[in-house]
Amino acid sequence: MAEPQKNSQFDGPQMRGTHYKRADMAGTNFDGVNLAEAQFYAVLTKARFTDTNLTDAVFDDINLADARFNNVNLSGAVITNANLSRLTISGVTFADSDIKDADLTGMRINGVLVTDLFAVYEQAKT
């Protein structure tokens, strides 16, 4: 008798490497989808990514305002020229991540304004 097939975490559509160019995908729900190496040049406001594989995905010239990510893998993903307004991040690992040229106005980490953290850091250096 054959063993029952085990579903992977990403057992929805396999859309690996898909290229979304100039797409309006506002409000789209991605649930259990494998989007590894996908390329997004799109509007994804209020999009929902749940149990989604976004390994090595590229998000460029993108609007992710009010988007939600729950149990996603963004390892190796690149996000450039993006609107991430009102983004909430929790329970994540930022190991070996790099944030450059970002407007951090009003951004908080554990309730502390990032601009205040930088000000304290600069004072400690002198």
Side-chain angles (χ1 to χ4, degrees):
M1 181 182 274
E3 287 186 35
Q5 184 179 10
K6 293 182 182 177
N7 289 339
S8 72
Q9 178 180 3
F10 311 113
D11 59 358
Q14 300 300 303
M15 301 167 75
R16 181 181 205 102
T18 304
H19 187 179
Y20 300 98
K21 185 174 183 181
R22 295 190 328 240
D24 183 349
M25 302 170 78
T28 300
N29 291 310
F30 297 95
D31 189 356
V33 181
N34 183 1
L35 288 164
E37 300 171 6
Q39 297 178 29
F40 295 90
Y41 307 88
V43 174
L44 285 161
T45 55
K46 297 184 180 181
R48 301 288 185 261
F49 296 86
T50 305
D51 300 325
T52 301
N53 183 8
L54 291 164
T55 303
D56 296 321
V58 174
F59 294 88
D60 186 28
D61 194 21
I62 189 139
N63 188 342
L64 283 165
D66 295 310
R68 297 287 180 256
F69 294 86
N70 182 29
N71 195 32
V72 299
N73 183 351
L74 284 164
S75 299
V78 176
I79 301 172
T80 55
N81 301 314
N83 177 359
L84 300 174
S85 299
R86 296 171 304 281
L87 178 68
T88 299
I89 300 172
S90 63
V92 300
T93 300
F94 279 118
D96 300 319
S97 296
D98 192 12
I99 299 173
K100 300 177 189 175
D101 303 320
D103 179 355
L104 304 174
T105 305
M107 181 181 176
R108 296 178 183 274
I109 297 177
N110 294 335
V112 179
L113 282 171
V114 171
T115 50
D116 291 349
L117 293 172
F118 283 131
V120 170
Y121 172 75
E122 290 299 323
Q123 286 177 347
K125 286 184 3 182
T126 56

